[in-house]
Each structure stands twice: as C-alpha cells, then as structure tokens.
Amino acid sequence: MQTVLSLFLFVAAIAYVEYRFRALSNRMDEDQRDANSRFSTKEGLNATTERLTVKQAEELRALNERMASLEQRTFFSQNSAGRQAETETPEPVIVDPTVIYFRWPADDGTFDDGARLLAQTEDTYYEFSLHDDRTKADVRFVTMTETQLNKANNSSKKYIERACNFTGAKSVHYICHPGKAHLERGRWIIDEKVRIEYS
C-alpha cells in the first residue's frame, strides 16, 4: 500500500512538473509573439514616418516652386511697369550728415543714439538737426503720410506725448515748433519738448 501511494505521488509530481513546464513554454511563446508584434508595429511606424517625411518634403518642394514662381511673376510685373524708369539714370540719394531720424522715444522720453537712422521712413517720427558740436540738436516731429500721422495720433502716448506737447484737437493738419535735445552717454535727452499745434 505504501508503495502504491509513493508511486501515485511520484506520478502526480511528474504530471505537475510537466504542467508547469507547458505553462512556462506557452508563456514564452506568447512573449515571443508580443515581441514580434511590437517589432512589426515599430517597423510599420518607421515606414509610415518615412512615407510622411517624403510626402512632406515633396509638398515643401512644391510650395517652394510655387513661391519662386510667384516671386518671379511679381518681379517681372514690377520690372515691366518700371522699364521706362530703368532706362533713366536714377538720381543719387543725398544723405545730410547733420540730420538724423528716430522712430519714437523710449518710455522716459529719451532716444537711443544707437537707433538713429540717416533717412526718413514711414516708421520714423522725429528729425534731429544736429548743431556743429554734434551733441545738441533741434528736434521736430515729422511724418511722411497721413496714414503715419493717424497712427501717431491714435497712439499719442507712445509716439507724441513723451517728447511733445500739443494743442488743439488731433487732426491731419499741424504746425511743428522745434524742441531742443542734447546727447548724454549715448542717449538724446529732450531739454525742451516739441510743440505741435493742430488745426
């Protein structure tokens, strides 16, 4: 009886070990399938990314070609409109070294000398006529267009009030009385504000 019981336990132990071995083998097979699946997904993603990258490169190339075509058409249309002007010799722009321009004053009403411009543009609002010593100047509020003046009038705290006093209701007509400024440590300091009389 004891021998039968021992034999039964021995067979049961072998059956259990075989069961565990099969379970472990199945788990390893599943892990292998998961790994293969992940690898193929990663390869698929890489392939998709490469396709997208190629497609984006093609779209960018097409966009660049369209931009070049538009630039070329614009260039030719501007040139055809101004061909007669091309045959004429343009007059040289004469820059007066005693006159400089600034966009608008800083919050404290000063102008950074490093930001000076030698020519007036639609983005400059102040003209400085330098004295002989180049450290003093007469200052004027100047605009080139009505649009520029309207921009200054609509934001007068930024463009006008820091360096000018004004009288009258803001309009597109004005008289400017020059102010005075001096250069100190790279900044133009307003000694006497510009006076603007609107009419």
Side-chain angles (χ1 to χ4, degrees):
M1 176 85 177
Q2 192 175 4
T3 308
V4 173
L5 187 59
S6 294
L7 187 60
F8 176 75
L9 288 175
F10 179 73
V11 170
I14 289 175
Y16 179 75
V17 168
E18 186 178 342
Y19 167 78
R20 293 297 292 156
F21 179 75
R22 283 187 185 160
L24 184 61
S25 177
N26 286 341
R27 188 176 300 156
M28 287 175 61
D29 287 344
E30 285 177 17
D31 288 345
Q32 183 66 37
R33 280 193 298 272
D34 268 358
N36 288 340
S37 172
R38 285 190 196 122
F39 182 72
S40 65
T41 302
K42 184 178 178 185
E43 283 182 336
L45 284 173
N46 287 341
T48 303
T49 303
E50 285 177 23
R51 280 195 302 274
L52 282 174
T53 304
V54 169
K55 185 177 179 183
Q56 287 169 341
E58 288 171 358
E59 288 175 356
L60 182 61
R61 188 170 35 256
L63 182 63
N64 285 336
E65 287 171 3
R66 273 181 281 184
M67 289 297 290
S69 174
L70 283 172
E71 287 171 359
Q72 192 174 31
R73 273 188 258 156
T74 304
F75 174 77
F76 284 125
S77 67
Q78 288 173 347
N79 282 349
S80 63
R83 283 192 185 157
Q84 187 178 9
E86 282 181 9
T87 58
E88 300 170 6
T89 305
E91 292 187 25
V93 177
I94 299 171
V95 175
D96 183 354
T98 63
V99 178
I100 57 176
Y101 297 90
F102 291 95
R103 289 186 167 91
W104 52 82
D107 291 343
D108 62 357
T110 64
F111 296 84
D112 179 7
D113 190 53
R116 70 165 62 188
L117 298 169
L118 298 177
Q120 185 178 8
T121 69
E122 286 198 30
D123 204 24
T124 58
Y125 293 86
Y126 289 89
E127 176 185 272
F128 282 53
S129 298
L130 304 177
H131 295 187
D132 290 339
D133 65 359
R134 303 285 203 264
T135 61
K136 293 183 182 168
D138 294 324
V139 183
R140 288 176 187 78
F141 177 79
V142 293
T143 55
M144 294 178 72
T145 63
E146 192 174 305
T147 303
Q148 184 184 13
L149 179 58
N150 285 332
K151 181 179 176 182
N153 285 340
N154 290 335
S155 300
S156 67
K157 287 193 186 305
K158 175 181 179 179
Y159 294 100
I160 299 173
E161 294 176 28
R162 296 172 184 170
C164 304
N165 291 321
F166 63 91
T167 57
K170 293 180 188 141
S171 71
V172 293
H173 303 288
Y174 68 92
I175 298 171
C176 177
H177 301 281
K180 304 270 184 215
H182 73 277
L183 182 62
E184 184 179 305
R185 295 183 185 152
R187 297 200 77 75
W188 287 94
I189 298 169
I190 300 294
D191 299 317
E192 181 183 320
K193 282 189 169 186
V194 177
R195 284 186 305 119
I196 300 172
E197 289 180 17
Y198 288 99
S199 54

